[in-house]
Amino acid sequence: MFYTLKSKLILIFSLLLVVPLLTMTVIFTQHSKNNVELITKSSSAQTLEQYAGYLDMLGGQVEDAAFQVLSNQLIQRWIGVRSGTRIEPSQTEQYQLNAEVKEYLSQVTLNLTNIASISLSDRNGFVIGNDSVYHHVKYNNKDWYSYVLEHGPSWVGTHLDPYQPHSLQNIPVNSLIIPLVELDSMTVQGIIKINVESSLIQQPLSKIEMEQWRTVQLVNKQGLIMAGNESDSLRSADPFGAQPAGQALLNVLNSPQWSHILQSEQTKDAFKLKNDDGTSSYWFYRKLDALNWIIIGEITEKELFRQIDQMSRTMLAIGLGLLLLTLAAAYWISASMTRPLSKLSQMMRRLEMGDFQAAEKVSVARRGETGYLLHAFERMAGRLNQLIHDEFTLKLRKQDAEYKALLMQVNPHFLYNTLETIGALAAQQKTEQLLDVTESLGQMLRHSLKQDSDTILLSDELQQIEYYTFIMETRFEDSLFFSIEKDPSLEKATIMKFMLQPLIENAVKYSKEKLRYAHIRISMQRTSSDFMELSISDNGEGMSEELIKELITVAYSEDPAKVLGSPGSKIGLRNVLVRCRLYYGEAFSVNIKSQLQQGTTISLTLPVNEEDSSYVQSNAGR
């Protein structure tokens, strides 16, 4: 295909357009991706830095409030009363002290707008907040409670706190928990819990104006989500109010990069990580020292380069359109030059396959040099077709004459042997047997004189063989035995006339010359849907390897004229093989197996035709 002139022109035009376009697209895409990656890293770092500054400010403000409350003398006096280190006041004085503490906590809360509420809890489960006092609070059952008492201040993730002002009880909060220390004895007597509405943390997080962000999360060093635009911590059973990380974040937390983040002295950085689905993501992080949290965000590579990929696809689509236009133009230009040559090539290809009529019918324009060349070739093809047709007809007639001549040679050979048998019976005055043999011979002669067809049903041919075997068994009596194995599926198959009888005559002749008892076996079988095999076996003297090779040569390459002129003693078997070759062509094959003094088997493979002889006649000229 690619060696034609048209294909070469189309290929050249296509390469001149496609190669520069693809090169430009690849270079542009790669350069743009590099620039976008640098810009994204810079802008993402700035975005996280701004948010981190806001959280550090918020965390610092909450810590200042916590230490302000802890160092207040009123709070220290309340701690001493609750811990029993001071003289226990009267119940009225306790109520007065609690009221003063509530008023102080309310003042601190009002002065610091980012703080939702402040509460103090002692070890006995007594909690005092901005506006309420609670007994038997179960803070001490929380894991974060014991953690803070043992390790110091800690932030708790988004959760609901029922021990704060009623209006805030259904609002998610984040809390800073610090130990409630009695400064005189430096003993921990409980905790201070400062609540900040989670919206102050989550809303700025959700307003990060970058569409390519897939997720931004606040996590603690244990890998639990403390707040984020995808978290639902209200459903969390974690004592710290934290939510387990999603799958994408889990991949980061289980990767070596997470250990590097925790151990690194750098407060911010970025890295690339491959996801389970085969895609890649860019991860950015920023550590928050005030809250002991880490801001970590993901931008998928697909979203990051989405616009560039869309532009690349657009350029490729434009390139494809230009390529189609180029192919159309190249086809139009090349067709005007190569159409006449293509028609000439088409005519020559059909002529090579032997389709002369189709080659003659190819319409051509008789303009220019190529048109004249095509017209001359068309006339040459017509003349060549006529010459071949005449030669083929002459060859068929010659083969038919040779076949008829061979067929006529069979009949005298058979008649000679049969008349010899009749003469022997007459000499022995076996009148009844003579009549039977004569009637069998008459049936065979009546059949052989029919010239209406060269083929016969296999069943009719076997009937003639039975007439023949009756004559032979009558002549040789018990010293000759025939067996015929029929295949019912071949009942309607057709074969050539007088094909089996000469082979059986040869088997009888070469078996009786050396043996006192001869056994001739005739069998047939269908080897496939299109072919059958006829076999004649004897127990005679057998054949030499040289004779077998000679007969095979006769079957496939011998000139029929040589068989016509050969001596009578060599006509029978050669005659049948040459007739089969002339009649069946390449559909015929022969196999001869023989061992000296043990016998011979001749197997003929023929096409199965159950209707007429059209198949074999169509192959007669091969």
Side-chain angles (χ1 to χ4, degrees):
M1 175 181 178
F2 293 103
Y3 57 80
T4 62
L5 178 60
K6 182 189 295 184
S7 301
K8 290 179 180 178
L9 290 174
I10 294 175
L11 182 62
I12 290 173
F13 275 97
S14 302
L15 290 176
L16 289 176
L17 175 67
V18 173
V19 172
L21 181 63
L22 289 179
T23 303
M24 181 181 67
T25 301
V26 171
I27 294 175
F28 169 78
T29 301
Q30 189 60 41
H31 182 70
S32 299
K33 285 186 176 181
N34 292 337
N35 289 338
V36 168
E37 185 176 358
L38 292 175
I39 294 172
T40 301
K41 286 183 177 180
S42 175
S43 62
S44 300
Q46 292 177 2
T47 301
L48 295 184
E49 188 67 29
Q50 292 174 359
Y51 181 60
Y54 167 75
L55 291 181
D56 283 337
M57 180 273 295
L58 179 63
Q61 188 180 67
V62 173
E63 286 184 358
D64 291 343
F67 291 115
Q68 177 184 343
V69 170
L70 181 63
S71 61
N72 184 267
Q73 292 183 355
L74 176 64
I75 301 302
Q76 286 295 316
R77 184 158 62 91
W78 182 85
I79 295 173
V81 171
R82 297 304 304 174
S83 63
T85 58
R86 296 175 182 261
I87 299 175
E88 183 176 353
S90 65
Q91 190 172 12
T92 302
E93 291 175 340
Q94 289 184 8
Y95 287 152
Q96 181 65 31
L97 181 60
N98 289 339
E100 292 177 359
V101 170
K102 286 195 296 181
E103 182 180 0
Y104 172 75
L105 295 179
S106 297
Q107 283 183 343
V108 175
T109 304
L110 291 174
N111 292 334
L112 300 175
T113 56
N114 290 330
I115 296 177
S117 63
I118 303 175
S119 60
L120 308 177
S121 174
D122 65 7
R123 290 181 177 272
N124 297 319
F126 180 85
V127 173
I128 184 170
N130 292 32
D131 61 351
S132 299
V133 175
Y134 302 92
H135 297 275
H136 308 294
V137 174
K138 298 181 180 179
Y139 278 158
N140 54 357
N141 293 332
K142 303 291 185 179
D143 287 349
W144 52 259
Y145 185 88
S146 57
Y147 179 87
V148 169
L149 294 181
E150 181 178 353
H151 297 91
S154 177
W155 277 87
V156 177
T158 305
H159 64 286
L160 295 177
D161 189 353
Y163 308 112
Q164 61 176 330
H166 182 73
S167 60
L168 299 175
Q169 289 181 0
N170 293 321
I171 297 178
V173 295
N174 288 79
S175 303
L176 173 63
I177 313 296
I178 68 171
L180 186 62
V181 179
E182 185 179 11
L183 297 179
D184 293 339
S185 61
M186 295 305 293
T187 58
V188 177
Q189 302 299 332
I191 61 167
I192 301 177
K193 189 172 187 288
I194 302 180
N195 296 324
V196 177
E197 290 188 19
S198 298
S199 59
L200 296 177
I201 298 175
Q202 294 179 5
Q203 287 180 0
L205 192 64
S206 62
K207 290 181 180 180
I208 295 179
E209 298 292 340
M210 293 189 68
E211 294 182 357
Q212 63 265 35
W213 284 101
R214 181 175 180 179
T215 181
V216 181
Q217 301 286 7
L218 282 171
V219 299
N220 59 17
K221 293 186 178 181
Q222 287 72 37
L224 296 174
I225 297 175
M226 306 305 291
N229 55 6
E230 289 186 358
S231 66
D232 185 8
S233 299
L234 297 178
R235 297 178 299 171
S236 175
D238 187 88
F240 282 82
Q243 172 99 343
Q247 186 59 47
L249 187 55
L250 283 176
N251 292 338
V252 176
L253 301 179
N254 294 328
S255 67
Q257 283 84 352
W258 180 248
S259 299
H260 174 74
I261 291 174
L262 296 178
Q263 298 173 5
S264 175
E265 296 181 356
Q266 293 180 336
T267 59
K268 57 184 177 180
D269 199 359
F271 58 91
K272 187 176 181 180
L273 190 65
K274 192 169 184 179
N275 301 321
D276 293 337
D277 57 1
T279 61
S280 297
S281 297
Y282 291 88
W283 289 87
F284 302 86
Y285 73 89
R286 170 67 160 82
K287 294 182 179 180
L288 302 173
D289 295 333
L291 284 78
N292 204 22
W293 291 352
I294 299 175
I295 310 173
I296 186 164
E298 176 193 13
I299 301 177
T300 61
E301 190 175 39
K302 179 180 179 180
E303 287 297 322
L304 181 62
F305 301 131
R306 177 167 52 84
Q307 293 183 348
I308 296 177
D309 291 337
Q310 289 177 350
M311 185 177 297
S312 299
R313 287 193 292 269
T314 302
M315 294 179 65
L316 290 176
I318 294 173
L320 180 60
L322 293 175
L323 176 61
L324 294 177
L325 291 176
T326 303
L327 292 177
Y331 180 83
W332 179 76
I333 295 173
S334 63
S336 62
M337 297 185 297
T338 62
R339 185 179 292 112
L341 296 179
S342 298
K343 288 186 176 181
L344 179 60
S345 175
Q346 180 183 1
M347 293 171 63
M348 295 180 68
R349 191 177 297 110
R350 291 185 174 274
L351 200 62
E352 183 181 8
M353 294 186 297
D355 192 356
F356 291 91
Q357 293 182 352
E360 294 180 52
K361 293 179 181 178
V362 177
S363 60
V364 294
R366 302 184 182 181
R367 291 179 295 180
E369 295 81 356
T370 55
Y372 174 78
L373 178 63
L374 290 171
H375 180 64
F377 183 83
E378 181 184 6
R379 288 185 297 171
M380 181 192 72
R383 292 177 182 176
L384 184 60
N385 184 28
Q386 186 62 40
L387 289 174
I388 292 177
H389 180 268
D390 294 342
E391 178 65 21
F392 181 71
T393 303
L394 181 61
K395 183 177 180 181
L396 284 179
R397 291 177 179 175
K398 180 181 178 182
Q399 287 183 343
D400 187 63
E402 292 172 347
Y403 167 74
K404 296 296 184 183
L406 288 171
L407 183 59
M408 293 302 296
Q409 280 190 323
V410 172
N411 292 332
H413 188 63
F414 164 70
L415 287 175
Y416 173 78
N417 291 332
T418 306
L419 291 174
E420 185 181 78
T421 301
I422 292 175
L425 290 174
Q428 297 175 21
Q429 297 183 357
K430 296 181 178 180
T431 305
E432 185 176 351
Q433 292 182 349
L434 178 60
L435 290 175
D436 292 338
V437 171
T438 303
E439 182 180 356
S440 297
L441 177 60
Q443 292 292 340
M444 295 181 66
L445 290 176
R446 186 179 299 108
H447 171 71
S448 64
L449 292 176
K450 291 181 180 180
Q451 299 295 329
D452 55 341
S453 176
D454 296 329
T455 60
I456 185 176
L457 286 172
L458 179 58
S459 57
D460 292 342
E461 180 76 359
L462 291 177
Q463 181 63 53
Q464 304 308 312
I465 294 302
E466 289 178 356
Y467 290 139
Y468 171 77
T469 57
F470 171 74
I471 296 173
M472 293 294 102
E473 287 177 342
T474 301
R475 177 182 177 186
F476 293 104
E477 298 179 346
D478 295 336
S479 63
L480 181 61
F481 175 74
F482 289 93
S483 62
I484 301 177
E485 299 177 5
K486 300 180 181 180
D487 187 343
S489 66
L490 298 174
E491 183 177 356
K492 296 182 180 180
T494 60
I495 62 172
M496 283 193 320
K497 282 184 176 180
F498 290 101
M499 185 175 69
L500 296 178
Q501 183 180 326
L503 302 180
I504 297 172
E505 288 184 15
N506 273 357
V508 172
K509 176 181 178 182
Y510 291 106
S511 297
K512 288 301 297 176
E513 285 182 354
K514 301 295 183 180
L515 301 173
R516 294 181 59 185
Y517 174 81
H519 181 193
I520 312 300
R521 179 175 172 268
I522 303 145
S523 64
M524 61 212 66
Q525 63 176 346
R526 183 189 289 266
T527 58
S528 67
S529 60
D530 298 324
F531 288 91
M532 63 180 174
E533 182 181 85
L534 304 179
S535 299
I536 294 90
S537 303
D538 62 60
N539 58 343
E541 64 183 21
M543 299 182 186
S544 63
E545 291 292 335
E546 292 77 11
L547 180 56
I548 293 175
K549 291 180 181 179
E550 179 186 348
L551 293 173
I552 296 298
T553 302
V554 169
Y556 294 109
S557 61
E558 187 75 12
D559 185 356
K562 293 183 179 180
V563 178
L564 287 171
S566 61
S569 61
K570 296 185 178 181
I571 289 178
L573 179 56
R574 291 172 174 79
N575 184 297
V576 173
L577 296 180
V578 173
R579 284 172 58 206
C580 290
R581 179 172 60 85
L582 286 174
Y583 207 87
Y584 293 107
E586 295 179 359
F588 163 73
S589 64
V590 60
N591 182 30
I592 301 176
K593 296 180 180 179
S594 182
Q595 292 185 2
L596 294 177
Q597 307 304 323
Q598 294 188 19
T600 302
T601 298
I602 299 176
S603 300
L604 306 178
T605 300
L606 309 173
V608 175
N609 183 22
E610 298 181 347
E611 296 179 358
D612 51 43
S613 58
S614 59
Y615 174 80
V616 292
Q617 295 215 15
S618 66
N619 289 277
R622 292 187 184 178

